[in-house]
Amino acid sequence: MTAIYRIEATITAPIEDTEVGDRVVDAVENLFPNAEIDRHEGGIDATTHSLGRFSELLHRQEILDTARSEFFRRQSGPYFSFSLKKQAAFQGVVNFAVGNESELGDIDVEVRVDEPDVESYIDHVAPPTEDGRPITAGDADDRR
């Protein structure tokens, strides 16, 4: 049986006077291609109901443990959030922004999980790993 996930991710990013606004939009679309983007004076606001492409990039870049750490570090109730570097996102690369915000500002993402629960959704987007490889539900069953 396939789990059904109901989430809403809110994405915000400033557009500084020294930046080309279309590049910031492209950066968000590279990581979240299904996002509905609203560009306004000073930045963008976007919403998506899927982190599919983002999850694919986490797997491809082999940064699942880093992602899980960031997600759980900033998890509260049915929400988790994280920040990303714009320049890396423009290149289609996930690079978590930790520490001081960059000069141009970061891409901030807040995810609300309606179903099933936040921990299960994090496991779906960035599954736990063993020896650097994702552990799936089937793998856990094989060990029993």
Side-chain angles (χ1 to χ4, degrees), residues 7 9-13 22-37 44 46-61 63 67 71 82-97 105-111 121 125:
I7 65 115
T10 304
I11 305 157
T12 59
D22 289 345
R23 288 177 59 104
V24 177
V25 170
D26 289 346
V28 170
E29 288 178 335
N30 285 341
L31 304 185
F32 308 100
N34 298 326
E36 295 177 22
I37 297 176
I44 63 166
T47 305
T48 186
H49 297 280
S50 170
L51 298 185
R53 169 80 174 137
F54 185 74
S55 178
E56 287 173 22
L57 292 169
L58 296 176
H59 282 78
R60 187 176 308 147
Q61 291 177 226
I63 57 171
F71 298 163
F82 52 95
S83 296
L84 303 164
K85 296 290 184 188
K86 281 192 225 173
Q87 187 61 39
F90 181 72
Q91 302 295 327
V93 173
V94 175
N95 186 358
F96 290 97
D106 298 322
I107 298 170
D108 294 313
V109 182
E110 181 180 73
V111 182
Y121 189 69
V125 173

Side-chain angles (χ1 to χ4, degrees), residues 6-19:
R6 283 188 339 143
I7 65 115
E8 180 172 277
T10 304
I11 305 157
T12 59
I15 298 174
E16 299 300 329
D17 294 339
T18 57
E19 288 183 292

